[in-house]
Amino acid sequence: MLRTAASQSRALTAAAAIAAFLVAAAAASAQEATESKQAARIEAFKASVIGGVEARRKLAQVMNDTVFSFGELAYQEFETSKYLTAVLEKNGFTVERGVAGIPTAWVARWGSGQPVIALGSDIDCLPKASQKPGVAYREPLIEGAPGHGEGHNSGQAVNIVAALAVKELMEREHLPGTLMIWPGVAEELLGAKAYFVRAGLFKNVDAVLFSHVDNEFAISWGQPKGSGLISVEYTFEGESSHAAAAPWRGRNALRAVELMNIGWDFRREQLRPDQRSHYVITNGGDQPNVIPPLASVWYFFRELDFENIKKNYEIGNKIAEAAAMMTDTKVTRKVVGVAAPRHFNKPIAEAVQANITRVGLPQWTDEEQAFAKAVQRLVDGKEIGLNTKVKEIEVPQARPESGGSDDIGDVSWVVPTVTIRYPANIPNLPGHNWSNAIAMATPIAHKGIIAGSKVVATTLIDLLERPELVKEAKTYFTDVQLKDNKTLPLLAATDQPQIGINRETMERFRPQMRAYYYDAERYDTYLDQLGVKFPTLARTPAP
Ligand SMILES: [Zn+2]
């Protein structure tokens, strides 16, 4: 039987289709094989770096407790930076100091080639938050001294331990890539990250993993709860005179401050409810019988987006000018810090979430839970103890919610960035308070750091081994984040880091604080050095 041309061609097509199918199937199974091989490799690498973090528990505890004991205020993190850079240099990192004109800022690098991954975490502490760790009652180590009332003593331990575990693997497996470690200097003043960005610190960086202490194990993408801000100090200059004999000869700078504050407070009613603004009078004159020739007031203007931050800043400037006019004084202003509203990268956040789920929360002991509840009771926080469940990934809210700020926002607009919040503190504390320091040199912090470090290390593996993740992160950054949002510069070209802030306070307390620096050679833990039995739930009554 003769085949017709049509049936012949059908047969050929069918044969070709079968052949094509076989080729495709072979290719697919080859691809599947490659993919499963790659998945197994990533899995093995993650297991290896988790082991590497475990092996560095002691180093993490020593770094955490040491930085806790330094308790240094914004811009004065000299001991902290000296210590951390020494640890990094000892481990093969190259350190560049004095970054962006800030004496306590530095960047440490190791490795070569792409990708370049930057790990950041804050290092400064808070005024008057000195507190003995591990005891569920108020007891400053030194009355009035600064202390880690936010837990910024823990983040570099998280990052450095993760980096060392990953470095060890990269050396063994000859993996290309550059690790960069940097400190959030003066975060409590929103004082450094915008200057780091301006100095080009994040040029050629592919991703930033930022770590921040929390009581939850959590990650978010998009705009999280919170605000951005401009922090600015206004100084009014008048003329002194005898406040009783010749008050009419003076021009009262304190009155200008008061008028500015009254003006701003009256104006609040016409501002968006999302704004947050607050001020402290940093100089109110010298003594009542001298008409104050100089007075200063320090404002934070917070809002949800760049435009509204700038708008409120301009209103503040206008009110300051008006107060100066009313009092025949002169006003100058000095920007103390800025923080852009934050925006976190979706693909990286999703990778982090998978690693958080894998690592899980630390296993807290009954004693640690009892301690957490005792501290919560102490500050009238709800007595829920320590968190035991991993959170779902946090997605952007339909309507952004106002709150605090963090200058990691500035970094998040120049490079794909996420903030990994690791569970190293007790929930339901007031924040920016001595009670937030209580757990920060105890097993609660030590365990939380290890959990956080494992997530940083495993996410580093994702970024090193999955080039498509770095690409997706960039695509989200350019095609979603930068496309849908309008950014405005918050720093003027003339603004400079206010590195002199806190110098006098730190100089006043440092000699006393030195006696409390952690000596890791002599004592296993800082609690041992202080003679604290953990957990101490109540003050021992005097005999
Ligand atoms: Zn912080």
Side-chain angles (χ1 to χ4, degrees):
M1 199 175 100
L2 274 176
R3 283 186 177 172
T4 62
S7 79
Q8 227 170 13
S9 116
R10 261 201 308 275
L12 276 175
T13 315
I18 290 165
F21 171 77
L22 290 175
V23 169
S29 77
Q31 197 192 336
E32 263 169 40
T34 319
E35 271 171 17
S36 78
K37 221 175 121 193
Q38 178 60 4
R41 177 178 152 101
I42 290 175
E43 190 50 37
F45 284 1
K46 285 189 178 180
S48 169
V49 295
I50 284 176
V53 169
E54 277 290 343
R56 291 173 174 83
R57 264 184 195 272
K58 179 65 194 167
L59 175 64
Q61 173 257 312
V62 169
M63 280 195 279
N64 174 75
D65 290 9
T66 304
V67 176
F68 182 94
S69 77
F70 291 150
E72 291 179 304
L73 289 167
Y75 292 121
Q76 306 304 318
E77 310 93 338
F78 289 99
E79 299 282 2
T80 304
S81 288
K82 195 171 107 190
Y83 167 75
L84 293 172
T85 52
V87 171
L88 285 160
E89 280 177 327
K90 213 180 110 202
N91 283 283
F93 279 74
T94 307
V95 176
E96 185 189 328
R97 293 178 169 83
V99 169
I102 300 172
T104 53
W106 45 270
V107 56
R109 293 185 183 87
W110 178 85
S112 61
Q114 304 292 121
V116 181
I117 317 292
L119 309 180
S121 197
D122 302 324
I123 57 171
D124 58 327
C125 78
L126 288 160
K128 301 185 175 73
S130 174
Q131 168 68 32
K132 184 183 264 194
V135 300
Y137 50 85
R138 172 64 166 142
E139 187 174 316
L141 286 170
I142 294 161
E143 191 66 53
H148 274 288
E150 180 157 336
H152 284 179
N153 57 301
S154 57
Q156 288 293 332
V158 169
N159 289 349
I160 293 174
V161 160
L164 295 184
V166 171
K167 173 178 175 270
E168 187 180 34
L169 176 98
M170 288 171 79
E171 284 171 322
R172 195 181 75 209
E173 301 290 333
H174 308 289
L175 305 181
T178 307
L179 303 178
M180 177 176 145
I181 299 183
W182 58 278
V185 166
E187 190 279 332
E188 301 296 2
L189 294 178
L190 300 313
K193 297 187 190 89
Y195 293 106
F196 289 173
V197 169
R198 191 164 84 179
L201 194 66
F202 300 100
K203 256 189 205 147
N204 307 321
V205 172
D206 293 294
V208 170
L209 302 181
F210 193 72
S211 306
H212 197 283
V213 60
D214 209 289
N215 53 70
E216 303 197 278
F217 213 176
I219 190 81
S220 68
W221 63 269
Q223 179 168 0
K225 182 176 186 284
S227 60
L229 67 76
I230 295 181
S231 149
V232 53
E233 186 177 44
Y234 298 93
T235 296
F236 295 86
E237 194 185 341
E239 186 59 79
S240 68
S241 69
H242 195 299
W248 48 85
R249 294 190 59 176
R251 283 176 289 119
N252 194 324
L254 175 62
R255 290 291 188 228
V257 163
E258 289 175 304
L259 285 166
M260 168 164 194
N261 294 346
I262 289 167
W264 181 260
D265 287 335
F266 269 72
R267 186 66 179 260
R268 275 181 203 276
E269 191 187 15
Q270 274 65 56
L271 301 177
R272 285 169 21 111
D274 309 280
Q275 72 86 27
R276 298 279 186 282
S277 51
H278 8 264
Y279 52 80
V280 292
I281 297 175
T282 45
N283 177 9
D286 303 299
Q287 56 185 61
N289 61 351
V290 179
I291 295 293
L294 268 183
S296 302
V297 60
W298 182 6
Y299 271 74
F300 274 22
F301 298 112
R302 303 192 206 242
E303 250 287 5
L304 291 179
D305 56 61
F306 288 91
E307 259 180 325
N308 281 300
I309 294 167
K310 291 207 93 151
K311 204 164 139 188
N312 287 2
Y313 175 50
E314 272 146 32
I315 295 170
N317 292 343
K318 197 156 71 176
I319 290 175
E321 297 287 346
M325 281 175 76
M326 284 189 275
T327 49
D328 275 329
T329 57
K330 270 203 320 234
V331 64
T332 52
R333 61 174 185 262
K334 184 174 72 185
V335 167
V336 182
V338 298
R342 290 159 287 174
H343 191 109
F344 295 130
N345 191 271
K346 188 180 180 196
I348 302 179
E350 286 169 348
V352 169
Q353 180 68 26
N355 293 325
I356 288 179
T357 307
R358 175 198 183 117
V359 170
L361 273 133
Q363 293 290 315
W364 308 116
T365 63
D366 291 346
E367 285 185 323
E368 287 155 4
Q369 287 288 12
F371 182 69
K373 285 181 188 164
V375 177
Q376 285 161 344
R377 203 173 314 132
L378 177 70
V379 296
D380 297 324
K382 222 169 142 204
E383 288 176 46
I384 59 160
L386 297 160
N387 281 316
T388 53
K389 278 204 194 82
V390 162
K391 276 190 80 175
E392 299 269 303
I393 190 165
E394 292 168 17
V395 300
Q397 288 164 292
R399 179 155 170 58
E401 204 182 324
S402 196
S405 321
D406 188 319
D407 55 0
I408 190 61
D410 296 274
V411 179
S412 75
W413 294 100
V414 293
V415 51
T417 300
V418 295
T419 290
I420 297 166
R421 285 141 52 207
Y422 54 91
N425 211 342
I426 298 169
N428 296 336
L429 308 183
H432 286 187
N433 181 263
W434 51 267
S435 62
N436 292 68
I438 286 180
M440 288 316 302
T442 71
I444 294 172
H446 301 149
K447 286 182 174 179
I449 288 167
I450 293 301
S453 197
K454 286 177 182 173
V455 167
V456 173
T458 46
T459 307
L460 277 172
I461 296 300
D462 285 321
L463 290 163
L464 291 171
E465 282 295 305
R466 292 168 50 203
E468 72 277 11
L469 175 60
V470 177
K471 231 171 104 191
E472 283 161 20
K474 274 195 185 137
T475 306
Y476 175 85
F477 180 71
T478 50
D479 296 1
V480 181
Q481 182 182 342
L482 293 186
K483 217 172 123 228
D484 297 349
N485 293 281
K486 190 176 159 202
T487 63
L488 293 168
L490 296 179
L491 275 187
T494 47
D495 292 332
Q496 292 301 327
Q498 299 301 309
I499 55 175
I501 297 185
N502 292 325
R503 193 177 287 149
E504 280 174 31
T505 312
M506 214 58 235
E507 275 169 10
R508 180 151 39 96
F509 286 107
R510 207 187 294 277
Q512 283 168 275
M513 290 174 77
R514 258 197 197 105
Y516 287 91
Y517 285 177
Y518 172 40
D519 182 351
E521 315 251 292
R522 281 184 63 193
Y523 299 97
D524 187 26
T525 67
Y526 192 44
L527 291 179
D528 286 348
Q529 178 169 335
L530 297 173
V532 173
K533 196 184 160 305
F534 180 81
T536 298
L537 301 184
R539 210 186 286 269
T540 330

